[in-house]
Amino acid sequence: MTADLFEAVLDVRPPREAMADGAVLLRGFAKPVEADLIAALRAIVAQAPFRHMFTPGGHQMSVAMTNCGGAGWVTDRNGYRYDGADPESGKPWPAMPPVFCELASQAAAQVGFDGFAPDACLINRYAPGARMSLHQDKDEQDFSAPIVSVSLGLPAIFLFGGIKRSDKPRRYRLAHGDVAVWGGPSRLFFHGVAPLAFGEHAAMGHQRINLTFRKAR
Ligand code: MD3
Ligand code: FE
């Protein structure tokens, strides 16, 4: 408790933390471009609004999603897939803004994945109570490319398991501006997000947004 209070006041957490082999958390890495990210996000959502997709099992997701880039991740009664077009509009997903692509590529390079050029950016919106159950990201063609995630708005508890579903997840707090890179052996690790706690963030309000950059094709 006292240690947590000191950490909150002094912000003594290290800027870079290894979570697993190939998985690195870069705290605050997106802060220098946060205003540009938020402006670009607004423009994307005006073209391709957030929606609650259905899983193949028929459940509606608590997380609302949209995409930008050449390939967008979608789920419906037919399954999970990448689609070049937004099924709601029939139009291509909005282009990936240069500030998104450059941030993802620079974060990957920090961790030793040079030349990361994502073609997909899934944008997840969590309202309080929204969660993502434990899963693997395996709808992509090439698992040698890492995944980069950028957290904005309210903090979340990220659950990071192992290669087996039964591996006990460790918990990491992901806050506004944090960027994580998941490559190498950790690329196929199970992971999820605990139900979002209520709160208010100065720039983002009552929500958490996560940008997940992937090489899908
Ligand atoms: C670890 N999103 O969209 S991003 C997802 O915060 C997803 O919205 C979460 O999991 C979110 O699929 C977590 C962090 C993340 C993304 C992919 C990973 C962590 C990962 C792939 C392998 C291991
Ligand atoms: Fe995932």
Side-chain angles (χ1 to χ4, degrees):
M1 168 63 207
T2 311
D4 287 347
L5 181 59
F6 281 131
E7 289 198 4
V9 172
L10 298 169
D11 199 15
V12 292
R13 295 171 308 160
R16 181 189 179 110
E17 181 177 351
M19 296 182 285
D21 193 3
V24 178
L25 175 52
L26 304 169
R27 290 198 176 90
F29 191 78
K31 280 274 177 67
V33 292
E34 72 174 311
D36 296 339
L37 294 175
I38 292 167
L41 193 55
R42 283 222 167 81
I44 291 164
V45 171
Q47 299 297 119
F50 284 112
R51 80 291 308 263
H52 294 272
M53 297 183 195
F54 284 87
T55 67
H59 297 284
Q60 198 167 14
M61 299 184 80
S62 62
V63 178
M65 298 176 164
T66 187
N67 289 276
C68 66
W73 187 85
V74 296
T75 177
D76 60 21
R77 287 311 299 251
N78 299 317
Y80 309 126
R81 66 184 178 280
Y82 282 94
D83 200 320
D86 177 352
E88 293 290 319
S89 66
K91 295 184 299 188
W93 295 104
M96 195 168 323
V99 64
F100 277 30
C101 203
E102 283 157 21
L103 177 65
S105 177
Q106 285 165 12
Q110 284 280 316
V111 177
F113 295 98
D114 291 333
F116 179 52
D119 57 6
C121 174
L122 173 64
I123 305 171
N124 294 329
R125 185 188 68 193
Y126 296 75
R131 61 192 286 271
M132 192 174 283
S133 57
L134 220 54
H135 67 278
Q136 290 172 294
D137 288 21
K138 53 181 185 184
D139 300 322
E140 299 73 33
Q141 297 281 346
D142 176 7
F143 299 142
S144 71
I147 290 177
V148 173
S149 84
V150 177
S151 292
L152 296 171
L154 291 176
I157 300 298
F158 176 71
L159 307 170
F160 191 33
I163 198 66
K164 300 196 305 276
R165 184 180 285 278
S166 58
D167 291 337
K168 184 180 161 67
R170 283 180 298 173
R171 299 160 73 87
Y172 291 89
R173 183 178 186 270
L174 296 182
H176 181 77
D178 289 351
V179 178
V181 179
W182 325 84
S186 77
R187 173 65 181 75
L188 289 169
F189 280 16
F190 280 88
H191 58 278
V193 178
L196 195 77
F198 289 88
E200 178 160 10
H201 184 272
M204 300 293 294
H206 303 269
Q207 60 177 346
R208 168 178 188 258
I209 303 270
N210 184 265
L211 313 176
T212 301
F213 294 93
R214 305 190 180 102
K215 180 100 184 68
R217 293 168 165 159

